[in-house]
Amino acid sequence: MYSFIWLFDTLITLYVWILIGSAILSWLVAFNVVNPHNQFVRSLGEFLWRVTEPVLAPIRRLLPNLGGIDVSPVILIILLYFIRNLVIELLVGA
């Protein structure tokens, strides 16, 4: 049972890091720190967008317009950690 808990925890943690990477890359592109026409940056951005956008889009639709500030990754990270802790508590019985 602990192996499944470890796997679940690892997958949540990995997805949180992917969300953070996606946010950082979007900032770097927005502030012209990296060249979005570079093949590696384009491929990385496309991968991160395809992995995160299906989960972030419904959250963005529920949030009001905050004037260009996207807090959906923060809300998703909090929600993922809540779900992770809830599942671990239910399975372990802590």
Side-chain angles (χ1 to χ4, degrees):
M1 181 57 94
Y2 289 111
S3 296
F4 291 116
I5 294 172
W6 174 83
L7 179 64
F8 182 73
D9 181 44
T10 303
L11 291 175
I12 294 288
T13 303
L14 181 64
Y15 195 74
V16 166
W17 281 108
I18 289 173
L19 284 166
I20 292 170
S22 176
I24 290 173
L25 183 64
S26 71
W27 295 339
L28 292 175
V29 169
F31 293 120
N32 290 323
V33 176
V34 295
N35 183 7
H37 300 294
N38 182 332
Q39 182 63 34
F40 176 73
V41 174
R42 185 182 311 131
S43 298
L44 182 62
E46 180 71 20
F47 167 75
L48 292 174
W49 186 82
R50 286 180 184 262
V51 170
T52 59
E53 191 60 26
V55 182
L56 291 174
I59 296 172
R60 286 188 188 118
R61 281 195 299 265
L62 294 174
L63 294 175
N65 187 2
L66 298 176
I69 298 173
D70 186 15
V71 294
S72 59
V74 174
I75 291 173
L76 182 59
I77 289 171
I78 292 170
L79 188 64
L80 285 172
Y81 279 137
F82 173 76
I83 292 170
R84 182 191 71 173
N85 290 340
L86 183 66
V87 167
I88 289 173
E89 284 180 13
L90 290 175
L91 291 177
V92 174

PDB file of all heavy atoms in Angstrom, residues 5-8 13 18 24 27 29 35 39 50-52 56-57 59-61 67 69-71 74 79 82 88 93:
ATOM      1  N   ILE A   5       0.986   4.858  -2.354  1.00  0.00           N
ATOM      2  CA  ILE A   5       0.998   6.199  -1.770  1.00  0.00           C
ATOM      3  C   ILE A   5       2.207   6.971  -2.247  1.00  0.00           C
ATOM      4  O   ILE A   5       2.116   8.141  -2.618  1.00  0.00           O
ATOM      5  CB  ILE A   5       0.943   6.119  -0.230  1.00  0.00           C
ATOM      6  CG1 ILE A   5      -0.395   5.548   0.217  1.00  0.00           C
ATOM      7  CG2 ILE A   5       1.185   7.487   0.392  1.00  0.00           C
ATOM      8  CD1 ILE A   5      -0.475   5.247   1.696  1.00  0.00           C
ATOM      9  N   TRP A   6       3.368   6.303  -2.268  1.00  0.00           N
ATOM     10  CA  TRP A   6       4.586   6.946  -2.746  1.00  0.00           C
ATOM     11  C   TRP A   6       4.440   7.348  -4.216  1.00  0.00           C
ATOM     12  O   TRP A   6       4.817   8.461  -4.597  1.00  0.00           O
ATOM     13  CB  TRP A   6       5.782   6.005  -2.578  1.00  0.00           C
ATOM     14  CG  TRP A   6       7.024   6.561  -3.183  1.00  0.00           C
ATOM     15  CD1 TRP A   6       7.898   7.454  -2.636  1.00  0.00           C
ATOM     16  CD2 TRP A   6       7.505   6.295  -4.500  1.00  0.00           C
ATOM     17  NE1 TRP A   6       8.893   7.741  -3.532  1.00  0.00           N
ATOM     18  CE2 TRP A   6       8.672   7.046  -4.686  1.00  0.00           C
ATOM     19  CE3 TRP A   6       7.060   5.483  -5.541  1.00  0.00           C
ATOM     20  CZ2 TRP A   6       9.407   7.014  -5.853  1.00  0.00           C
ATOM     21  CZ3 TRP A   6       7.795   5.452  -6.713  1.00  0.00           C
ATOM     22  CH2 TRP A   6       8.954   6.213  -6.858  1.00  0.00           C
ATOM     23  N   LEU A   7       3.892   6.454  -5.036  1.00  0.00           N
ATOM     24  CA  LEU A   7       3.703   6.754  -6.455  1.00  0.00           C
ATOM     25  C   LEU A   7       2.752   7.929  -6.644  1.00  0.00           C
ATOM     26  O   LEU A   7       3.031   8.848  -7.423  1.00  0.00           O
ATOM     27  CB  LEU A   7       3.175   5.523  -7.194  1.00  0.00           C
ATOM     28  CG  LEU A   7       2.908   5.708  -8.686  1.00  0.00           C
ATOM     29  CD1 LEU A   7       4.198   6.003  -9.417  1.00  0.00           C
ATOM     30  CD2 LEU A   7       2.237   4.471  -9.242  1.00  0.00           C
ATOM     31  N   PHE A   8       1.638   7.931  -5.922  1.00  0.00           N
ATOM     32  CA  PHE A   8       0.676   9.027  -6.002  1.00  0.00           C
ATOM     33  C   PHE A   8       1.314  10.343  -5.581  1.00  0.00           C
ATOM     34  O   PHE A   8       1.175  11.362  -6.263  1.00  0.00           O
ATOM     35  CB  PHE A   8      -0.539   8.700  -5.120  1.00  0.00           C
ATOM     36  CG  PHE A   8      -1.609   9.738  -5.157  1.00  0.00           C
ATOM     37  CD1 PHE A   8      -2.409   9.887  -6.273  1.00  0.00           C
ATOM     38  CD2 PHE A   8      -1.811  10.572  -4.071  1.00  0.00           C
ATOM     39  CE1 PHE A   8      -3.400  10.847  -6.314  1.00  0.00           C
ATOM     40  CE2 PHE A   8      -2.802  11.532  -4.100  1.00  0.00           C
ATOM     41  CZ  PHE A   8      -3.592  11.675  -5.226  1.00  0.00           C
ATOM     42  N   THR A  13       3.749  15.601  -7.005  1.00  0.00           N
ATOM     43  CA  THR A  13       4.913  16.485  -6.892  1.00  0.00           C
ATOM     44  C   THR A  13       5.505  16.796  -8.272  1.00  0.00           C
ATOM     45  O   THR A  13       5.854  17.942  -8.552  1.00  0.00           O
ATOM     46  CB  THR A  13       5.974  15.844  -5.985  1.00  0.00           C
ATOM     47  OG1 THR A  13       5.386  15.558  -4.717  1.00  0.00           O
ATOM     48  CG2 THR A  13       7.167  16.760  -5.805  1.00  0.00           C
ATOM     49  N   ILE A  18       6.029  20.640 -12.936  1.00  0.00           N
ATOM     50  CA  ILE A  18       5.708  20.967 -14.331  1.00  0.00           C
ATOM     51  C   ILE A  18       4.916  22.273 -14.393  1.00  0.00           C
ATOM     52  O   ILE A  18       5.165  23.114 -15.265  1.00  0.00           O
ATOM     53  CB  ILE A  18       4.953  19.797 -14.996  1.00  0.00           C
ATOM     54  CG1 ILE A  18       5.906  18.630 -15.223  1.00  0.00           C
ATOM     55  CG2 ILE A  18       4.304  20.229 -16.298  1.00  0.00           C
ATOM     56  CD1 ILE A  18       5.242  17.361 -15.721  1.00  0.00           C
ATOM     57  N   ILE A  24       7.216  29.665 -15.153  1.00  0.00           N
ATOM     58  CA  ILE A  24       8.513  30.340 -15.325  1.00  0.00           C
ATOM     59  C   ILE A  24       8.823  30.535 -16.803  1.00  0.00           C
ATOM     60  O   ILE A  24       9.273  31.611 -17.212  1.00  0.00           O
ATOM     61  CB  ILE A  24       9.621  29.548 -14.616  1.00  0.00           C
ATOM     62  CG1 ILE A  24       9.445  29.663 -13.098  1.00  0.00           C
ATOM     63  CG2 ILE A  24      11.000  30.033 -15.039  1.00  0.00           C
ATOM     64  CD1 ILE A  24      10.372  28.784 -12.284  1.00  0.00           C
ATOM     65  N   TRP A  27       6.844  33.395 -18.184  1.00  0.00           N
ATOM     66  CA  TRP A  27       7.421  34.692 -17.786  1.00  0.00           C
ATOM     67  C   TRP A  27       8.663  35.014 -18.605  1.00  0.00           C
ATOM     68  O   TRP A  27       8.846  36.162 -19.037  1.00  0.00           O
ATOM     69  CB  TRP A  27       7.793  34.695 -16.316  1.00  0.00           C
ATOM     70  CG  TRP A  27       6.656  34.582 -15.370  1.00  0.00           C
ATOM     71  CD1 TRP A  27       5.342  34.862 -15.610  1.00  0.00           C
ATOM     72  CD2 TRP A  27       6.724  34.133 -14.024  1.00  0.00           C
ATOM     73  NE1 TRP A  27       4.595  34.616 -14.488  1.00  0.00           N
ATOM     74  CE2 TRP A  27       5.411  34.170 -13.508  1.00  0.00           C
ATOM     75  CE3 TRP A  27       7.760  33.711 -13.210  1.00  0.00           C
ATOM     76  CZ2 TRP A  27       5.134  33.790 -12.204  1.00  0.00           C
ATOM     77  CZ3 TRP A  27       7.467  33.331 -11.916  1.00  0.00           C
ATOM     78  CH2 TRP A  27       6.164  33.388 -11.417  1.00  0.00           C
ATOM     79  N   VAL A  29       9.415  34.050 -21.590  1.00  0.00           N
ATOM     80  CA  VAL A  29       9.010  34.410 -22.952  1.00  0.00           C
ATOM     81  C   VAL A  29       8.375  35.800 -22.964  1.00  0.00           C
ATOM     82  O   VAL A  29       8.654  36.622 -23.837  1.00  0.00           O
ATOM     83  CB  VAL A  29       8.061  33.349 -23.545  1.00  0.00           C
ATOM     84  CG1 VAL A  29       7.428  33.838 -24.827  1.00  0.00           C
ATOM     85  CG2 VAL A  29       8.814  32.048 -23.790  1.00  0.00           C
ATOM     86  N   ASN A  35      14.229  33.249 -26.410  1.00  0.00           N
ATOM     87  CA  ASN A  35      13.695  33.438 -27.751  1.00  0.00           C
ATOM     88  C   ASN A  35      12.635  32.364 -28.029  1.00  0.00           C
ATOM     89  O   ASN A  35      12.966  31.183 -28.104  1.00  0.00           O
ATOM     90  CB  ASN A  35      14.833  33.343 -28.766  1.00  0.00           C
ATOM     91  CG  ASN A  35      14.382  33.589 -30.177  1.00  0.00           C
ATOM     92  OD1 ASN A  35      13.231  33.952 -30.415  1.00  0.00           O
ATOM     93  ND2 ASN A  35      15.291  33.401 -31.124  1.00  0.00           N
ATOM     94  N   GLN A  39      14.034  26.422 -31.407  1.00  0.00           N
ATOM     95  CA  GLN A  39      13.341  25.139 -31.526  1.00  0.00           C
ATOM     96  C   GLN A  39      13.164  24.460 -30.173  1.00  0.00           C
ATOM     97  O   GLN A  39      12.098  23.906 -29.887  1.00  0.00           O
ATOM     98  CB  GLN A  39      14.108  24.214 -32.485  1.00  0.00           C
ATOM     99  CG  GLN A  39      13.446  22.881 -32.699  1.00  0.00           C
ATOM    100  CD  GLN A  39      12.082  22.998 -33.362  1.00  0.00           C
ATOM    101  OE1 GLN A  39      11.845  23.870 -34.183  1.00  0.00           O
ATOM    102  NE2 GLN A  39      11.166  22.118 -32.998  1.00  0.00           N
ATOM    103  N   ARG A  50       0.617  21.668 -23.481  1.00  0.00           N
ATOM    104  CA  ARG A  50      -0.267  20.512 -23.677  1.00  0.00           C
ATOM    105  C   ARG A  50      -0.513  19.743 -22.377  1.00  0.00           C
ATOM    106  O   ARG A  50      -1.573  19.151 -22.209  1.00  0.00           O
ATOM    107  CB  ARG A  50       0.313  19.563 -24.716  1.00  0.00           C
ATOM    108  CG  ARG A  50       0.205  20.079 -26.121  1.00  0.00           C
ATOM    109  CD  ARG A  50       0.800  19.073 -27.095  1.00  0.00           C
ATOM    110  NE  ARG A  50       0.803  19.575 -28.431  1.00  0.00           N
ATOM    111  CZ  ARG A  50      -0.119  19.284 -29.336  1.00  0.00           C
ATOM    112  NH1 ARG A  50      -1.111  18.491 -29.021  1.00  0.00           N
ATOM    113  NH2 ARG A  50      -0.038  19.772 -30.551  1.00  0.00           N
ATOM    114  N   VAL A  51       0.447  19.762 -21.467  1.00  0.00           N
ATOM    115  CA  VAL A  51       0.291  19.019 -20.219  1.00  0.00           C
ATOM    116  C   VAL A  51      -0.515  19.810 -19.192  1.00  0.00           C
ATOM    117  O   VAL A  51      -1.293  19.237 -18.432  1.00  0.00           O
ATOM    118  CB  VAL A  51       1.684  18.634 -19.660  1.00  0.00           C
ATOM    119  CG1 VAL A  51       1.587  18.074 -18.260  1.00  0.00           C
ATOM    120  CG2 VAL A  51       2.365  17.639 -20.575  1.00  0.00           C
ATOM    121  N   THR A  52      -0.361  21.128 -19.175  1.00  0.00           N
ATOM    122  CA  THR A  52      -0.991  21.924 -18.126  1.00  0.00           C
ATOM    123  C   THR A  52      -2.304  22.586 -18.546  1.00  0.00           C
ATOM    124  O   THR A  52      -3.181  22.774 -17.707  1.00  0.00           O
ATOM    125  CB  THR A  52      -0.035  23.026 -17.634  1.00  0.00           C
ATOM    126  OG1 THR A  52       0.320  23.873 -18.730  1.00  0.00           O
ATOM    127  CG2 THR A  52       1.203  22.421 -17.012  1.00  0.00           C
ATOM    128  N   LEU A  56      -5.709  23.670 -16.386  1.00  0.00           N
ATOM    129  CA  LEU A  56      -5.782  25.082 -16.007  1.00  0.00           C
ATOM    130  C   LEU A  56      -6.955  25.817 -16.657  1.00  0.00           C
ATOM    131  O   LEU A  56      -7.486  26.767 -16.074  1.00  0.00           O
ATOM    132  CB  LEU A  56      -4.477  25.797 -16.354  1.00  0.00           C
ATOM    133  CG  LEU A  56      -3.261  25.403 -15.529  1.00  0.00           C
ATOM    134  CD1 LEU A  56      -2.014  26.079 -16.075  1.00  0.00           C
ATOM    135  CD2 LEU A  56      -3.465  25.740 -14.068  1.00  0.00           C
ATOM    136  N   ALA A  57      -7.355  25.413 -17.844  1.00  0.00           N
ATOM    137  CA  ALA A  57      -8.420  26.132 -18.559  1.00  0.00           C
ATOM    138  C   ALA A  57      -9.739  26.174 -17.784  1.00  0.00           C
ATOM    139  O   ALA A  57     -10.354  27.247 -17.701  1.00  0.00           O
ATOM    140  CB  ALA A  57      -8.616  25.524 -19.944  1.00  0.00           C
ATOM    141  N   ILE A  59     -10.171  26.114 -14.593  1.00  0.00           N
ATOM    142  CA  ILE A  59      -9.966  27.000 -13.444  1.00  0.00           C
ATOM    143  C   ILE A  59      -9.996  28.454 -13.898  1.00  0.00           C
ATOM    144  O   ILE A  59     -10.587  29.312 -13.237  1.00  0.00           O
ATOM    145  CB  ILE A  59      -8.642  26.663 -12.729  1.00  0.00           C
ATOM    146  CG1 ILE A  59      -8.705  25.249 -12.149  1.00  0.00           C
ATOM    147  CG2 ILE A  59      -8.328  27.675 -11.629  1.00  0.00           C
ATOM    148  CD1 ILE A  59      -7.403  24.745 -11.588  1.00  0.00           C
ATOM    149  N   ARG A  60      -9.382  28.742 -15.035  1.00  0.00           N
ATOM    150  CA  ARG A  60      -9.378  30.115 -15.569  1.00  0.00           C
ATOM    151  C   ARG A  60     -10.795  30.584 -15.899  1.00  0.00           C
ATOM    152  O   ARG A  60     -11.107  31.759 -15.754  1.00  0.00           O
ATOM    153  CB  ARG A  60      -8.505  30.196 -16.810  1.00  0.00           C
ATOM    154  CG  ARG A  60      -7.048  30.158 -16.502  1.00  0.00           C
ATOM    155  CD  ARG A  60      -6.233  30.450 -17.752  1.00  0.00           C
ATOM    156  NE  ARG A  60      -4.832  30.220 -17.471  1.00  0.00           N
ATOM    157  CZ  ARG A  60      -4.082  29.317 -18.089  1.00  0.00           C
ATOM    158  NH1 ARG A  60      -4.597  28.580 -19.051  1.00  0.00           N
ATOM    159  NH2 ARG A  60      -2.815  29.169 -17.766  1.00  0.00           N
ATOM    160  N   ARG A  61     -11.636  29.675 -16.366  1.00  0.00           N
ATOM    161  CA  ARG A  61     -13.008  30.056 -16.691  1.00  0.00           C
ATOM    162  C   ARG A  61     -13.806  30.429 -15.449  1.00  0.00           C
ATOM    163  O   ARG A  61     -14.704  31.264 -15.512  1.00  0.00           O
ATOM    164  CB  ARG A  61     -13.716  28.921 -17.437  1.00  0.00           C
ATOM    165  CG  ARG A  61     -13.363  28.837 -18.891  1.00  0.00           C
ATOM    166  CD  ARG A  61     -14.328  27.953 -19.654  1.00  0.00           C
ATOM    167  NE  ARG A  61     -14.331  26.585 -19.158  1.00  0.00           N
ATOM    168  CZ  ARG A  61     -13.600  25.603 -19.678  1.00  0.00           C
ATOM    169  NH1 ARG A  61     -12.797  25.840 -20.686  1.00  0.00           N
ATOM    170  NH2 ARG A  61     -13.684  24.380 -19.175  1.00  0.00           N
ATOM    171  N   GLY A  67      -6.925  41.256 -14.532  1.00  0.00           N
ATOM    172  CA  GLY A  67      -6.097  42.225 -15.237  1.00  0.00           C
ATOM    173  C   GLY A  67      -4.748  41.697 -15.669  1.00  0.00           C
ATOM    174  O   GLY A  67      -3.738  42.354 -15.484  1.00  0.00           O
ATOM    175  N   ILE A  69      -3.157  39.013 -14.551  1.00  0.00           N
ATOM    176  CA  ILE A  69      -2.483  38.174 -13.563  1.00  0.00           C
ATOM    177  C   ILE A  69      -3.184  36.822 -13.551  1.00  0.00           C
ATOM    178  O   ILE A  69      -4.387  36.742 -13.313  1.00  0.00           O
ATOM    179  CB  ILE A  69      -2.530  38.821 -12.165  1.00  0.00           C
ATOM    180  CG1 ILE A  69      -1.801  40.154 -12.188  1.00  0.00           C
ATOM    181  CG2 ILE A  69      -1.919  37.878 -11.137  1.00  0.00           C
ATOM    182  CD1 ILE A  69      -1.939  40.924 -10.899  1.00  0.00           C
ATOM    183  N   ASP A  70      -2.422  35.780 -13.810  1.00  0.00           N
ATOM    184  CA  ASP A  70      -2.991  34.435 -13.863  1.00  0.00           C
ATOM    185  C   ASP A  70      -2.642  33.697 -12.573  1.00  0.00           C
ATOM    186  O   ASP A  70      -1.497  33.320 -12.347  1.00  0.00           O
ATOM    187  CB  ASP A  70      -2.431  33.683 -15.067  1.00  0.00           C
ATOM    188  CG  ASP A  70      -3.082  32.338 -15.269  1.00  0.00           C
ATOM    189  OD1 ASP A  70      -4.147  32.102 -14.672  1.00  0.00           O
ATOM    190  OD2 ASP A  70      -2.528  31.537 -16.042  1.00  0.00           O
ATOM    191  N   VAL A  71      -3.637  33.514 -11.720  1.00  0.00           N
ATOM    192  CA  VAL A  71      -3.425  32.820 -10.451  1.00  0.00           C
ATOM    193  C   VAL A  71      -3.893  31.363 -10.524  1.00  0.00           C
ATOM    194  O   VAL A  71      -3.862  30.660  -9.514  1.00  0.00           O
ATOM    195  CB  VAL A  71      -4.123  33.547  -9.278  1.00  0.00           C
ATOM    196  CG1 VAL A  71      -3.506  34.898  -9.034  1.00  0.00           C
ATOM    197  CG2 VAL A  71      -5.603  33.647  -9.508  1.00  0.00           C
ATOM    198  N   VAL A  74      -1.456  28.701  -9.147  1.00  0.00           N
ATOM    199  CA  VAL A  74      -1.375  28.703  -7.687  1.00  0.00           C
ATOM    200  C   VAL A  74      -2.571  27.968  -7.094  1.00  0.00           C
ATOM    201  O   VAL A  74      -2.430  27.148  -6.168  1.00  0.00           O
ATOM    202  CB  VAL A  74      -1.294  30.147  -7.150  1.00  0.00           C
ATOM    203  CG1 VAL A  74      -1.344  30.165  -5.641  1.00  0.00           C
ATOM    204  CG2 VAL A  74      -0.061  30.843  -7.666  1.00  0.00           C
ATOM    205  N   LEU A  79      -4.839  23.051  -4.667  1.00  0.00           N
ATOM    206  CA  LEU A  79      -5.821  21.977  -4.797  1.00  0.00           C
ATOM    207  C   LEU A  79      -5.150  20.604  -4.886  1.00  0.00           C
ATOM    208  O   LEU A  79      -5.609  19.639  -4.266  1.00  0.00           O
ATOM    209  CB  LEU A  79      -6.691  22.228  -6.032  1.00  0.00           C
ATOM    210  CG  LEU A  79      -7.880  21.313  -6.234  1.00  0.00           C
ATOM    211  CD1 LEU A  79      -8.879  21.501  -5.097  1.00  0.00           C
ATOM    212  CD2 LEU A  79      -8.534  21.627  -7.561  1.00  0.00           C
ATOM    213  N   PHE A  82      -3.915  19.643  -1.469  1.00  0.00           N
ATOM    214  CA  PHE A  82      -5.058  19.272  -0.634  1.00  0.00           C
ATOM    215  C   PHE A  82      -5.506  17.846  -0.957  1.00  0.00           C
ATOM    216  O   PHE A  82      -5.736  17.035  -0.054  1.00  0.00           O
ATOM    217  CB  PHE A  82      -6.215  20.261  -0.833  1.00  0.00           C
ATOM    218  CG  PHE A  82      -7.471  19.846  -0.138  1.00  0.00           C
ATOM    219  CD1 PHE A  82      -7.594  20.003   1.236  1.00  0.00           C
ATOM    220  CD2 PHE A  82      -8.530  19.294  -0.851  1.00  0.00           C
ATOM    221  CE1 PHE A  82      -8.761  19.613   1.887  1.00  0.00           C
ATOM    222  CE2 PHE A  82      -9.687  18.906  -0.212  1.00  0.00           C
ATOM    223  CZ  PHE A  82      -9.804  19.063   1.170  1.00  0.00           C
ATOM    224  N   ILE A  88      -3.805  10.602   1.236  1.00  0.00           N
ATOM    225  CA  ILE A  88      -2.859   9.952   2.142  1.00  0.00           C
ATOM    226  C   ILE A  88      -3.497   9.738   3.518  1.00  0.00           C
ATOM    227  O   ILE A  88      -3.347   8.663   4.121  1.00  0.00           O
ATOM    228  CB  ILE A  88      -1.557  10.769   2.242  1.00  0.00           C
ATOM    229  CG1 ILE A  88      -0.791  10.657   0.929  1.00  0.00           C
ATOM    230  CG2 ILE A  88      -0.694  10.297   3.403  1.00  0.00           C
ATOM    231  CD1 ILE A  88       0.433  11.541   0.835  1.00  0.00           C
ATOM    232  N   GLY A  93      -4.857   6.439   7.314  1.00  0.00           N
ATOM    233  CA  GLY A  93      -5.677   6.519   8.510  1.00  0.00           C
ATOM    234  C   GLY A  93      -5.031   7.355   9.606  1.00  0.00           C
ATOM    235  O   GLY A  93      -5.222   7.106  10.783  1.00  0.00           O
TER     236      GLY A  93
END
